[in-house]
């Protein structure tokens, strides 16, 4: 896919997600329809469905994934996978605009408070493990299906879920990102307690 086409698709997905989150905040998740989201984003419902299969998917979509992946790839090769990920996440989150940051926090809040979205977390975890396994394999030269690669990917995602579940008990804030970083730091040291 060409860079221009990818950029256009990314912008379309972000516009739909922003419209959806604004509507969810204004009238509630269950009261918002795909048609309303499409109208607010100034596209047709069929365009919505070109990018997302449901309104659940529009919330679960993480526009930061490709940015974090690129930041991860840019990290020095002589540091560990976890150190590279920690630096990449810090780099991306410190460069977010206030609007982007607020959108992410609203998205996190929806995922933690809407039962339909909570049910999607397992699917998202599986997708994330595959994504990280591919990144780890690329960085280490190992196969993405290698047990050690999959274990590391699963451990990273598990640490992230543990951190987020802990953060879910508090209002979502930058503390959620700090908690994830602390979880990764502990994972990198080893899991002895």
């Amino acid at each position: 896919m060409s860079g221009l086409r990818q950029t256009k698709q990314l912008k379309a997905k972000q516009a739909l997600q922003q419209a959806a989150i604004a509507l969810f905040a204004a009238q509630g998740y269950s009261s918002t329809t795909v048609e309303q989201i499409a109208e607010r984003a100034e596209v047709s419902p069929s365009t919505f469905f070109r990018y997302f299969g449901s309104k659940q998917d529009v919330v679960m979509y993480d526009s930061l994934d490709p940015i974090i992946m690129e930041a991860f790839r840019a990290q020095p090769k002589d540091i560990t996978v976890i150190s590279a990920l920690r630096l990449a996440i810090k780099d991306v989150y410190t460069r977010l605009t206030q609007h982007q940051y607020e959108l992410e926090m609203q998205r996190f809040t929806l995922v933690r408070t809407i039962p339909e979205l909570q049910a999607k977390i397992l699917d998202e975890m599986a997708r994330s493990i595959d994504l990280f396994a591919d990144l780890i394999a690329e960085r280490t030269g190992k196969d993405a299906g290698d047990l050690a690669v999959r274990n590391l990917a699963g451990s990273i995602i598990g640490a992230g879920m543990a951190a987020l579940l802990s953060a879910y008990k508090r209002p979502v804030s930058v503390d959620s990102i700090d908690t994830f970083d602390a979880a990764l730091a502990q994972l990198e040291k080893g899991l002895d307690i």
Side-chain angles (χ1 to χ4, degrees):
M1 186 183 307
S2 75
L4 181 60
R5 186 169 179 204
Q6 277 183 319
T7 300
K8 186 178 178 181
Q9 286 185 351
L10 178 63
K11 286 182 179 182
K13 284 182 162 185
Q14 288 173 333
L16 284 163
Q17 188 176 61
Q18 288 176 25
I21 289 174
L23 284 167
F24 298 153
Q27 62 192 35
Y29 178 82
S30 60
S31 298
T32 302
T33 67
V34 166
E35 290 75 19
Q36 291 170 326
I37 296 167
E39 182 180 332
R40 183 166 184 132
E42 299 179 349
V43 299
S44 68
S46 63
T47 298
F48 175 95
F49 287 115
R50 186 176 314 134
Y51 296 108
F52 299 108
S54 68
K55 68 180 185 178
Q56 292 172 339
D57 293 338
V58 79
V59 177
M60 298 307 289
Y61 170 68
D62 190 342
S63 65
L64 297 182
D65 277 353
I67 299 165
I68 291 171
M69 290 169 61
E70 286 309 308
F72 177 82
R73 287 182 178 111
Q75 298 306 312
K77 297 293 183 201
D78 62 340
I79 63 175
T80 67
V81 167
I82 295 173
S83 289
L85 180 59
R86 291 177 68 200
L87 289 171
I89 290 169
K90 283 180 186 177
D91 177 51
V92 169
Y93 273 87
T94 58
R95 288 188 289 127
L96 291 181
T97 66
Q98 186 64 30
H99 175 72
Q100 290 170 316
Y101 177 77
E102 288 170 4
L103 186 69
E104 279 302 297
M105 295 305 107
Q106 288 173 314
R107 196 173 73 77
F108 286 159
T109 298
L110 286 166
V111 170
R112 75 183 176 103
T113 58
I114 306 296
E116 294 167 66
L117 298 174
Q118 291 171 347
K120 296 278 285 183
I121 289 175
L122 187 58
D123 291 339
E124 186 61 21
M125 284 179 62
R127 185 196 68 80
S128 295
I129 289 170
D130 289 342
L131 179 84
F132 275 105
D134 289 343
L135 279 174
I136 293 166
E138 181 183 309
R139 184 175 182 87
T140 63
K142 295 184 181 266
D143 185 84
D146 182 276
L147 183 60
V149 169
R150 303 258 335 141
N151 280 346
L152 181 54
S155 296
I156 289 168
I157 299 307
M161 285 307 300
L164 287 176
L165 290 172
S166 170
Y168 283 175
K169 295 177 181 171
R170 303 181 303 274
V172 177
S173 68
V174 74
D175 182 56
S176 303
I177 304 307
D178 292 341
T179 302
F180 182 42
D181 183 65
L184 289 175
Q186 183 184 18
L187 181 62
E188 189 168 31
K189 276 189 340 190
L191 296 178
D192 290 335
I193 53 173

